[in-house]
Amino acid sequence: MIRKHLQKKLSATQKKVASNLYWAMLGKIVNILSALFVGILVARYLGPEQYGLMNYVISFVTIFNIIATFGLDDIEIRELSKQPENRNAIIGTTFRIRLFFATVAFLLIFILLWIFKSDRFTSSMILIYAITLFPGCFNVIRNYFTSIIQNEYVVKTEIIRTVIGVLIKISLLFLKAPLSLFILATVAEMLLVSSGYIISYQKKVGKIKDWRFQKEYVLFFIREAFPLVLSGAAIIIYQRIDQVMIKNMIDNESVGYFATAGKFVDLILFLPLIITQTVTPILVRLYSSDTVRYEQKKQTFFDLLVWTSVIISLIVSLSAYWLISFTYGKQYLLAVPALQIMAWKTVGMALSSSSGQIIILEGIQKWSIIRNIIGMLVCVGFNLLLIPKYGIKGSAWVTIFTVFISGFLAHIFIPTYRPIMKLQIKSIIFGWKSILHLKSSLK
């Protein structure tokens, strides 16, 4: 009913954006509710220590995921938006590149575990979870649907995956299963969603066998993506290294508390990310056809992201005690101070992700490594200083410093990005106006 009502009043472009937002938000809401429900049950069942170990395993592998993806997601979306007629060559070449680098990432994980000789159980869990690097290669299909602003098909797949995943994990809870089976269940979910992407693509678009490898694209994609790999590596390190450092500097239980706060932050990041994914293809088209409208929409893009994030952060920070107490339970109340602080990460991520999209779109990503290396150094350096003295609260503050410095203040040191910083400053000061006039902002 809501979609039909909107379609009567909106222009063709607005209808497409609204439909894409509808499906993207529906998928995220289903995923959020299920993740919150099952995640709470699993966390209560495992307890802070084992829950912390589970999140350590995930964080460890996620650090290597940047090698597996090789920074190709945004480049693929950009090129598919520009050259939809070359779909099979772009997707086929990207998929093969990602498969190669996923293998490299898996081997690196194996070698590091062998060199540093972690305990056998932790090493085994890391290797099992690292299998997810391979089905993740089929994210090239999701990128295609994003490029044509058609999230409906992948969202349906993800909803089915989510429901099956919920049923599996609830069954494991009833069976009082060990931690290892919960990690295996996560791997199974990734395999399910990748299978769903394939089915959606073959049903709505074409056959996988039509994908073709084109040598000419390989060097182009690697050259375009390489700065993003270095940049992305720095991002992943400063987003995930905190849990690895907390485990090694304190204990698994502290990782559990920190991860609990982080889960709520991850959940509230979905809306800014949906806006980013939805608006980017429109900006790509305007960039090459209408410079004046592009500049207008670029400012609106920043405004909507920043002020949506401010509202969300304020609500979560003020309700942190209630959120933890009535979900994860009193055994996780030590996570409350961390959540009150980390809720504001959403604003920093909005500034970072919006500027990151503009940087890629305008082809000036070669300088992005500077801002992200600054962020990585801030994260690692300040965590070394603050974790021993302030524990997870210190690491929570480092999270805020890192995203604001890397996604905003670092632009002072990069002349090419200073115009972007001006847009960010305008969005911080005046962006609330776009929220008040949302309908006209989307025209």
Side-chain angles (χ1 to χ4, degrees), residues 11 13 78 87 90 118 143 163 192 224 226 273-274 302 331 356 382 387 392 413 416:
S11 65
T13 301
R78 186 190 72 189
R87 178 189 71 226
I90 293 171
S118 183
N143 293 338
V163 172
L192 280 171
E224 289 290 301
F226 188 69
L273 291 177
I274 288 173
F302 281 105
Q331 62 178 329
F382 276 89
I387 288 175
I392 63 172
F413 306 104
T416 308

Side-chain angles (χ1 to χ4, degrees), residues 296-332:
Q296 292 171 347
K297 292 299 177 186
K298 187 164 65 171
Q299 183 64 66
T300 301
F301 176 48
F302 281 105
D303 295 346
L304 292 176
L305 273 176
V306 170
W307 278 89
T308 298
S309 300
V310 169
I311 294 167
I312 294 171
S313 297
L314 181 62
I315 292 170
V316 173
S317 185
L318 292 175
S319 58
Y321 179 87
W322 182 88
L323 287 171
I324 297 292
S325 178
F326 288 93
T327 53
Y328 286 86
K330 295 189 181 299
Q331 62 178 329
Y332 284 93

Side-chain angles (χ1 to χ4, degrees), residues 59-328:
S59 294
F60 188 95
V61 174
T62 301
I63 290 173
F64 290 87
N65 192 55
I66 188 61
I67 298 174
T69 60
F70 204 73
L72 288 166
D73 285 336
D74 291 322
I75 301 297
E76 182 194 358
I77 292 170
R78 186 190 72 189
E79 293 308 310
L80 285 168
S81 298
K82 288 181 178 179
Q83 310 173 58
E85 69 279 1
N86 293 329
R87 178 189 71 226
N88 288 325
I90 293 171
I91 299 175
T93 305
T94 306
F95 176 75
R96 286 167 177 80
I97 295 172
R98 286 188 60 159
L99 192 60
F100 170 78
F101 282 109
T103 304
V104 171
F106 187 88
L107 291 174
L108 282 173
I109 290 172
F110 181 84
I111 291 167
L112 283 173
L113 291 174
W114 180 75
I115 291 173
F116 292 103
K117 301 187 184 300
S118 183
D119 69 89
R120 183 172 295 180
F121 178 75
T122 302
S123 297
S124 299
M125 292 302 97
I126 289 172
L127 287 173
I128 289 171
Y129 188 74
I131 294 170
T132 60
L133 296 172
F134 296 102
C137 295
F138 286 97
N139 206 53
V140 294
I141 295 174
R142 195 185 205 292
N143 293 338
Y144 169 70
F145 284 113
T146 298
S147 74
I148 60 172
I149 321 180
Q150 291 289 343
N151 274 342
E152 175 181 353
Y153 308 117
V154 293
V155 167
K156 287 178 179 177
T157 292
E158 290 166 355
I159 289 174
I160 293 170
R161 179 281 307 265
T162 299
V163 172
I164 294 173
V166 167
L167 294 174
I168 290 172
K169 287 177 180 174
I170 289 176
S171 299
L172 292 176
L173 288 170
F174 276 114
L175 294 171
K176 300 187 182 300
L179 172 62
S180 57
L181 289 183
F182 286 96
I183 292 176
L184 278 170
T186 305
V187 176
E189 285 184 44
M190 285 293 292
L191 292 170
L192 280 171
V193 78
S194 298
S195 301
Y197 287 162
I198 294 169
I199 293 169
S200 295
Y201 185 86
Q202 297 197 139
K203 184 178 178 182
K204 299 292 182 180
V205 184
K207 295 180 179 179
I208 300 293
K209 67 179 183 180
D210 292 335
W211 291 356
R212 64 181 187 274
F213 179 75
Q214 195 163 317
K215 288 182 180 178
E216 293 79 8
Y217 274 128
V218 175
L219 288 177
F220 171 76
F221 280 133
I222 290 178
R223 185 176 64 250
E224 289 290 301
F226 188 69
L228 297 177
V229 175
L230 299 177
S231 178
I235 292 171
I236 291 296
I237 288 172
Y238 73 62
Q239 286 184 346
R240 291 290 183 171
I241 198 68
D242 43 19
Q243 295 187 29
V244 175
M245 293 178 74
I246 289 169
K247 178 189 184 299
N248 290 313
M249 297 174 74
I250 310 179
D251 52 30
N252 285 333
E253 189 172 344
S254 296
V255 178
Y257 297 134
F258 190 84
T260 299
K263 292 298 179 186
F264 280 105
V265 175
D266 290 341
L267 293 176
I268 62 176
L269 284 174
F270 86 95
L271 189 54
L273 291 177
I274 288 173
I275 295 172
T276 299
Q277 290 181 347
T278 300
V279 175
T280 297
I282 296 171
L283 289 175
V284 168
R285 296 185 185 107
L286 288 175
Y287 182 65
S288 57
S289 62
D290 190 336
T291 307
V292 175
R293 285 200 70 213
Y294 169 72
E295 293 298 328
Q296 292 171 347
K297 292 299 177 186
K298 187 164 65 171
Q299 183 64 66
T300 301
F301 176 48
F302 281 105
D303 295 346
L304 292 176
L305 273 176
V306 170
W307 278 89
T308 298
S309 300
V310 169
I311 294 167
I312 294 171
S313 297
L314 181 62
I315 292 170
V316 173
S317 185
L318 292 175
S319 58
Y321 179 87
W322 182 88
L323 287 171
I324 297 292
S325 178
F326 288 93
T327 53
Y328 286 86

